[in-house]
Amino acid sequence: MINWKVLLVDDEKDFVLTLAERLGLRGIEVITAFDGEGALQILKNCRPDVMILDLMMPGMSGSVVLEKVKKLYPGLQVIILTGMGSTPEGTTGVDLCAFEYLSKPVKIDDLIDKIGRAIKKGSAVN
Amino acid sequence: MKPLNDMISQLVGIPAEDGAPKGYRTAKRNISILILVITLAPTIVMTAINYLEYQRSLKEEILAPMRALVNKTKDSFELFLSERLSTLNFISSAYTYDELADEKKLNRIFRVIKKEFEDFVDLDLINSDGTHISYAGPYYSQNGNYAGQGWFDQVKVKGVYVSDVFRGFQRFPNIAVAVQHIPNDGREWILRATINIEKFDNLISSMNLDPESDAFLINHQGVLQTKSKFYGDVLEQPPLVPPKSLEPIVIEQTDYLGRHVFLAYSYLNYTNFIFALVRPLPDTLKEWYISRAGLLISLLAFVVGIFLMVLKLTDITISRIKESDDKRLLAMREMEHSHKLASIGRLAAGVAHEVNNPLAIVNEKAGLMKDLIEYRADFPDREKFLNLVDAIIQTVERCRAITHRLLGFARRIDVEIQILDLNEVIKETLAFLEKEALYRNIAIKLNLDKNLPRILSDKGQLQQVFLNLLNNAFAAIETGGTVYVATFDRDEKMVGVTFEDTGQGMSDETLKHIFEPFFTTKKAGYGTGLGLSISSGIIKRLGGEMGVRSKLGEGTTFTIYIPKETLQQTGDS
C-alpha cells in the first residue's frame, strides 16, 4: 500500500495497540497517542496524513484536541471514532470540523475506506 | 389571612391534594350548605322579626283595647247585678219575716223599691221549706213549693242566685235573682225578685261600638242572653261558644259569616254569664294579611331560587376545581414520566458508551486474530479458526446494534424537529418489540407507502406515541394475532399512520374515556391510565390529530395524522 501515515489517539491502550497492529499489517504507518496532550506533542515533530481521534478521554477531551488541531494544522484531516452515537448529535461544536464520524466498534474495511477518502480530501486541499 | 383560609378549607372540606371523588362531593355539599346558611339566614331572621313585630303591634293596637273594654263592660254588668242583690239583702235585713209575709206590707216595700229601680218586676218571699209565702207584683200570687228546683237548692247552698234570661211579662227578657237570709233566731227565708234586663242593652250600646263590631251576653251553655247584631236574638244559640276562661281573653277565629274576627270575652262572677265582644279584623290588617301571603310566597320563591342557584354555582365551581386538579396532576405525571424517560435515556447512553469501548477492543482483537490467520497460509485448522473469529465479529456486530439502539433511545429524549422518514421511524420503533412479538406469536404486517414524503417533526415524541400504541395493540391481543401498521399520504398537509390490531377491542363506554387521564382498564398497578392521554397530547402539540375506531371482539384501529411540517414551538415541553 501507499505509505499512509495515521495518528491514532485513544485512551484505551489495548484498542489503540491492536488497531495499530492491524493497520500496520495493511501497510499503514501508525503513530499512537493515549491522550490529547501526547497527540499534540507528537504533532509538533511529525505530520501524519490523518488523525483518528476518540472524544471521551481523561484529561483533554477529544473535542478540545480537535479544536486545537484545526487551529494549528488546518490541513490535517480528523476522523472521530467514538463509543457514542455515529451522528453529530450530542457533539455540538465539533461537527463542522471533523471529516467523518465513526462509532465503535467499527469494521476495519470501513475505517480504511474513510482514511483513504480523508487523505484524498487532504491532498486536494493542500 | 392564612388561619382564616385554613378554617374555611377545613369547614367546607376542600380536598388538599389529588382528592378522591368523595372529597369533592363532601366539599360540594359543605360549600352549598355554608352559602345557603349565609344567604338565607338574614332573610329568614328578617321575616321572623317582621312577623313578631306584627304580633306585638297587633296586641298593642287591637287586643289590649278590646280586653280593657270587655273588662270595663263586664264590671258594669256585675255592678248592675250586685246593686240588685244588695237591695234584696237590705230588705231581708231591714224587715222581719212576719212583716214580709204580710202581702200588703210587701207590696208597699215593692213600690218603694220600684221608685229606685224600675227594672224590678216582682218580689217573692219563700220560706226555708220552699213554700211560697207572699208576693208583690203584676201577677196573681201563686201558691206552691219550690223545694227540689235547681235554683232553690243553689240559693240554699250559695246564699245568692242569678238565673239565666227568660221571657216574662209582655215577653220582656227577665232574670230572676234570689238571696237567702239567715236571721239570729234561725228561721231562714229566701227573697226572690224578677228583674227586667232591658238595661243590659243600654250597657252594651254605651260601649259605642263600630257597626262591624258586636257585643253580647251568652251563658255557659252558649245561649244568647242579650240580642246580638250578627249572631241571633235572645235565647237563640249562635255557633260560637267561647272556651272557658277565668281571665279576660282574646282569641282569633273565623265566624260562621266567614269573617275573620277577634273574640274577646270574660266570665261574670256569681252568674252563668259570659260577656263577649266580637270585632272583625281592621282593614289595614286585612291588607297586611293578604300581603303576608304574598310575602310568604315570594320568600319561598326567593329561597328556592337561591337554593337552585347555589347548587348550580357550587357544582360548576367544584367541577372546575376538579378539572384543574386533574390537569395539574396530569402535567405532574407527564413531567415525572418525561423525567423518568430522560434518566433512563441518560443511563442507556452511559451504558451504551461504556459497553462500546470494550466491544471495540474485542472487535479489534478478533480482527487481528483473523488478520494473522489470513496472512499465514500454513495456519493449522485455518478454516475452523476463521469461522470462530467470524462468529465473534458477528456477535460484536449484534451487540453494536443493541448499543446503538439504546443510544438512539437516549437521543429521543431531547425535543427537536428534524427531517424524518416516517417509515424508518416506525421500523426503528418496531425493533423494540420484535422479540416480544416473536414470543407471543404476534405477526406484524407492514404496509408502508414507499413514496411517503419526508416530514419535519419530532422523532423522539413520535416514537413514544408509536411505542405506546403498539404496546396497547400487543396488550389487546391474547396470543396469536396480527398487528397491521400502515402509512399513507393523506393530503398536501398531512401524512397518516394506522395501527390496527386483531385484539379484544373496546366497548363504546370504554371508547368514550380512553383519552382521559388516569382512565385504565388494566388491573390496579399495571397501568397508569396515562399512555393514551399523553400520546394524544403529544400529537396535538405536533399539530396532528388522533382518532380511534373499535369493535368489541374484533379489534381496534388507531389513526394518527401528522402534519408534514411541524413548526418548532418555543417553551413547550
Side-chain angles (χ1 to χ4, degrees):
Chain A
M1 279 226 174
I2 9 138
N3 45 340
W4 290 349
K5 204 188 217 176
V6 173
L7 174 58
L8 184 55
V9 189
D10 198 314
D11 59 314
E12 295 272 0
K13 274 186 192 171
D14 241 353
F15 175 73
V16 172
L17 295 176
T18 316
L19 186 57
E21 193 175 346
R22 293 189 75 191
L23 292 174
L25 283 173
R26 285 163 176 78
I28 298 167
E29 188 188 342
V30 180
I31 311 158
T32 57
F34 303 122
D35 52 36
E37 285 86 353
L40 291 174
Q41 205 62 48
I42 288 163
L43 283 175
K44 279 181 185 164
N45 303 322
C46 76
R47 178 61 56 88
D49 298 305
V50 171
M51 183 179 183
I52 297 173
L53 182 62
D54 186 18
L55 285 180
M56 300 271 275
M57 286 187 295
M60 198 185 287
S61 86
S63 45
V64 177
V65 176
L66 177 62
E67 227 173 284
K68 290 198 168 168
V69 165
K70 277 288 156 185
K71 210 182 272 172
L72 294 168
Y73 321 101
L76 180 59
Q77 296 303 313
V78 179
I79 293 172
I80 301 286
L81 178 59
T82 176
M84 291 195 286
S86 57
T87 46
E89 294 157 8
T91 55
T92 38
V94 284
D95 52 333
L96 292 171
C97 329
F99 170 74
E100 184 63 84
Y101 285 83
L102 292 173
S103 69
K104 286 184 196 171
V106 69
K107 285 183 183 140
I108 193 85
D109 297 338
D110 286 350
L111 182 62
I112 289 168
D113 179 52
K114 292 282 156 33
I115 292 170
R117 285 164 192 253
I119 287 170
K120 205 181 274 176
K121 190 191 175 194
S123 56
V125 169
N126 295 335
Chain B
M1 219 39 216
K2 191 166 185 326
L4 184 69
N5 286 347
D6 284 352
M7 202 186 75
I8 290 174
S9 295
Q10 207 167 22
L11 194 64
V12 300
I14 288 174
E17 286 294 324
D18 60 300
K22 202 176 149 235
Y24 290 109
R25 271 203 302 278
T26 314
K28 194 159 103 183
R29 194 194 60 208
N30 292 353
I31 290 174
S32 302
I33 291 171
L34 194 69
I35 295 177
L36 283 174
V37 167
I38 289 169
T39 50
L40 295 182
T43 316
I44 288 164
V45 166
M46 286 306 290
T47 313
I49 287 173
N50 185 301
Y51 188 78
L52 292 175
E53 188 63 23
Y54 156 76
Q55 294 282 20
R56 205 174 60 78
S57 68
L58 186 73
K59 255 180 222 157
E60 272 179 12
E61 288 177 20
I62 299 169
L63 306 189
M66 271 181 89
R67 203 173 291 148
L69 191 57
V70 164
N71 253 340
K72 203 181 120 207
T73 315
K74 177 200 127 184
D75 286 347
S76 306
F77 278 111
E78 282 178 350
L79 182 68
F80 177 91
L81 290 170
S82 66
E83 270 173 2
R84 272 64 187 168
L85 289 170
S86 301
T87 309
L88 289 184
N89 274 327
F90 172 75
I91 296 165
S92 303
S93 309
Y95 298 92
T96 63
Y97 175 80
D98 294 330
E99 283 171 317
L100 293 175
D102 178 356
E103 279 205 345
K104 273 186 189 164
K105 215 157 198 174
L106 190 69
N107 265 303
R108 199 165 53 82
I109 295 166
F110 175 67
R111 279 196 298 277
V112 174
I113 298 167
K114 194 90 168 143
K115 274 181 193 160
E116 287 301 318
F117 302 110
E118 56 180 307
D119 39 34
F120 270 82
V121 177
D122 58 12
L123 206 57
D124 281 289
L125 180 69
I126 296 143
N127 74 5
S128 59
D129 306 328
T131 313
H132 182 257
I133 305 296
S134 59
Y135 173 81
Y139 308 111
Y140 294 108
S141 171
Q142 295 164 316
N143 292 320
N145 196 308
Y146 297 103
Q149 288 188 12
W151 71 269
F152 183 75
D153 293 340
Q154 209 173 320
V155 80
K156 293 268 281 188
V157 174
K158 288 186 177 172
V160 176
Y161 168 73
V162 179
S163 78
D164 281 354
V165 172
F166 57 90
R167 292 206 182 269
F169 179 64
Q170 288 176 345
R171 296 200 51 74
F172 283 120
N174 289 337
I175 56 171
V177 296
V179 295
Q180 185 185 35
H181 184 72
I182 307 172
N184 295 334
D185 60 4
R187 277 176 66 194
E188 58 192 62
W189 71 81
I190 289 159
L191 200 57
R192 177 182 176 276
T194 305
I195 292 170
N196 182 330
I197 53 156
E198 279 182 302
K199 269 226 173 122
F200 280 8
D201 292 337
N202 296 346
L203 285 176
I204 286 169
S205 61
S206 73
M207 290 166 76
N208 287 323
L209 292 176
D210 59 87
E212 291 295 309
S213 298
D214 197 359
F216 48 83
L217 275 183
I218 193 166
N219 72 4
H220 290 185
Q221 286 72 43
V223 178
L224 279 172
Q225 304 295 298
T226 62
K227 212 175 136 211
S228 155
K229 244 184 275 179
F230 298 106
Y231 304 104
D233 208 344
V234 179
L235 298 182
E236 281 184 30
Q237 189 141 11
L240 190 81
V241 184
K244 182 148 181 93
S245 161
L246 295 174
E247 286 291 305
I249 198 169
V250 184
I251 57 173
E252 215 176 328
Q253 60 173 227
T254 309
D255 68 8
Y256 77 102
L257 294 169
R259 300 188 308 169
H260 194 126
V261 295
F262 292 105
L263 169 63
Y265 62 93
S266 181
Y267 281 56
L268 265 61
N269 282 338
Y270 305 116
T271 69
N272 198 20
F273 297 156
I274 304 163
F275 175 66
L277 169 63
V278 177
R279 173 171 280 174
L281 197 67
D283 284 347
T284 50
L285 273 180
K286 254 184 223 161
E287 267 167 33
W288 200 92
Y289 265 68
I290 292 163
S291 68
R292 189 174 66 166
L295 216 70
L296 217 66
I297 289 168
S298 54
L299 177 73
L300 208 71
F302 175 73
V303 167
V304 168
I306 285 208
F307 195 77
L308 292 178
M309 211 169 71
V310 164
L311 284 190
K312 186 78 203 159
L313 276 178
T314 318
D315 202 38
I316 290 170
T317 312
I318 291 292
S319 55
R320 289 271 160 82
I321 290 175
K322 189 174 182 309
E323 226 168 81
S324 73
D325 277 359
D326 279 356
K327 262 187 203 156
R328 202 190 47 189
L329 209 58
L330 178 65
M332 248 164 57
R333 293 280 168 89
E334 226 174 297
M335 214 165 71
E336 219 172 83
H337 188 71
S338 64
H339 274 301
K340 207 152 78 183
L341 277 183
S343 45
I344 291 171
R346 275 194 295 278
L347 182 72
V351 169
H353 183 243
E354 289 308 311
V355 170
N356 272 347
N357 276 327
L359 218 49
I361 296 170
V362 173
N363 190 46
E364 296 316 323
K365 297 278 182 197
L368 183 56
M369 280 165 76
K370 193 179 173 188
D371 288 351
L372 292 175
I373 295 163
E374 279 176 345
Y375 281 80
R376 292 228 338 235
D378 58 339
F379 199 85
D381 292 330
R382 181 192 163 97
E383 284 307 311
K384 192 168 186 194
F385 273 98
L386 271 181
N387 283 345
L388 288 172
V389 169
D390 275 339
I392 293 173
I393 290 170
Q394 271 164 29
T395 309
V396 166
E397 188 55 34
R398 226 175 96 191
C399 291
R400 182 182 185 272
I402 294 168
T403 56
H404 280 239
R405 206 182 295 151
L406 277 177
L407 282 167
F409 176 71
R411 267 198 306 280
R412 289 206 327 262
I413 306 309
D414 302 314
V415 177
E416 59 183 289
I417 302 297
Q418 62 195 86
I419 297 171
L420 294 175
D421 181 346
L422 203 56
N423 293 342
E424 280 307 312
V425 177
I426 286 170
K427 279 183 200 159
E428 229 175 89
T429 313
L430 280 169
F432 281 98
L433 295 163
E434 269 167 2
K435 277 280 172 332
E436 194 188 343
L438 203 65
Y439 293 144
R440 294 186 46 203
N441 195 20
I442 294 170
I444 297 173
K445 300 229 164 115
L446 297 180
N447 181 17
L448 305 178
D449 184 354
K450 287 205 175 58
N451 298 320
L452 197 70
R454 288 165 157 261
I455 62 166
L456 206 56
S457 198
D458 186 322
K459 183 178 170 187
Q461 304 257 5
L462 285 180
Q463 254 183 340
Q464 195 182 331
V465 174
F466 295 164
L467 200 59
N468 173 239
L469 293 180
L470 285 167
N471 267 327
N472 286 350
F474 274 42
I477 296 170
E478 297 267 313
T479 43
T482 312
V483 175
Y484 300 91
V485 183
T487 56
F488 55 93
D489 194 356
R490 191 179 81 153
D491 52 34
E492 297 119 63
K493 286 189 175 160
M494 298 265 200
V495 292
V497 191
T498 59
F499 295 88
E500 189 180 347
D501 69 67
T502 58
Q504 59 191 17
M506 289 177 278
S507 68
D508 287 347
E509 192 51 38
T510 307
L511 267 182
K512 263 188 226 164
H513 299 293
I514 55 166
F515 292 117
E516 286 173 13
F518 311 118
F519 177 82
T520 181
T521 55
K522 290 177 184 158
K523 264 186 278 176
Y526 284 84
T528 56
L530 285 175
L532 279 173
S533 74
I534 290 176
S535 290
S536 74
I538 289 171
I539 295 298
K540 260 184 221 152
R541 270 207 296 280
L542 292 174
E545 294 159 28
M546 188 161 173
V548 61
R549 204 175 58 236
S550 186
K551 201 158 187 193
L552 211 56
E554 287 181 18
T556 305
T557 306
F558 276 95
T559 307
I560 302 173
Y561 297 114
I562 306 158
K564 288 178 183 171
E565 278 185 36
T566 301
L567 294 174
Q568 180 96 50
Q569 288 156 337
T570 47
D572 199 1
S573 63

